[in-house]
């Protein structure tokens, strides 16, 4: 990610993160989950900096990505990032910062 892309994403984050959290909260009713989903959205924006920076409407890209992440979560009564984790007893120092992706969580929920 070059400086121009970094500045653009930083500007988008400053302008849109609060309204995005509010929009996500209205849809799912969980403030902390809404914040997590917005953070995941901006993390995706960083990973796909070329795509968002060349998009004709970066704000629409952000909201569409947020909407996709909300749908990937599915059941909003259980925090999607913690769902289907068997126990915390298997966590080691090496795996402490590893977190399954939404796709992995979806697949494990089906199995």
């Amino acid at each position: 990610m070059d400086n121009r892309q970094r500045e653009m994403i930083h500007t988008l984050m400053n302008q849109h993160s609060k309204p995005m959290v509010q929009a996500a909260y209205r849809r799912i009713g969980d403030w902390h989950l809404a914040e997590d989903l917005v953070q995941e959205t901006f993390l995706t924006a960083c990973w796909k900096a070329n795509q968002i920076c060349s998009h004709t409407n970066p704000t629409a890209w952000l909201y569409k990505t947020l909407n996709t992440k909300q749908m990937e979560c599915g059941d909003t009564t259980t925090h999607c990032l913690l769902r289907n984790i068997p126990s915390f007893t298997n966590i080691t120092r090496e795996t402490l910062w590893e977190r399954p992706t939404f796709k992995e969580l979806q697949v494990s929920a089906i199995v």
Side-chain angles (χ1 to χ4, degrees), residues 18-35 37-38 66 70:
K18 186 175 179 179
M20 288 174 68
V21 171
Q22 291 169 341
Y25 174 74
R26 283 191 301 272
R27 183 168 180 185
I28 60 178
D30 182 332
W31 188 262
H32 297 291
L33 178 56
E35 289 176 327
L37 291 171
V38 171
L66 175 61
Q70 289 172 339

Side-chain angles (χ1 to χ4, degrees), residues 22-24 28-29 31-32 34 54 59-60 70 76 81 83 92 94-95:
Q22 291 169 341
I28 60 178
W31 188 262
H32 297 291
S54 64
T59 302
Q70 289 172 339
T76 58
L81 299 178
R83 189 183 309 136
T92 64
E94 292 76 31
T95 62

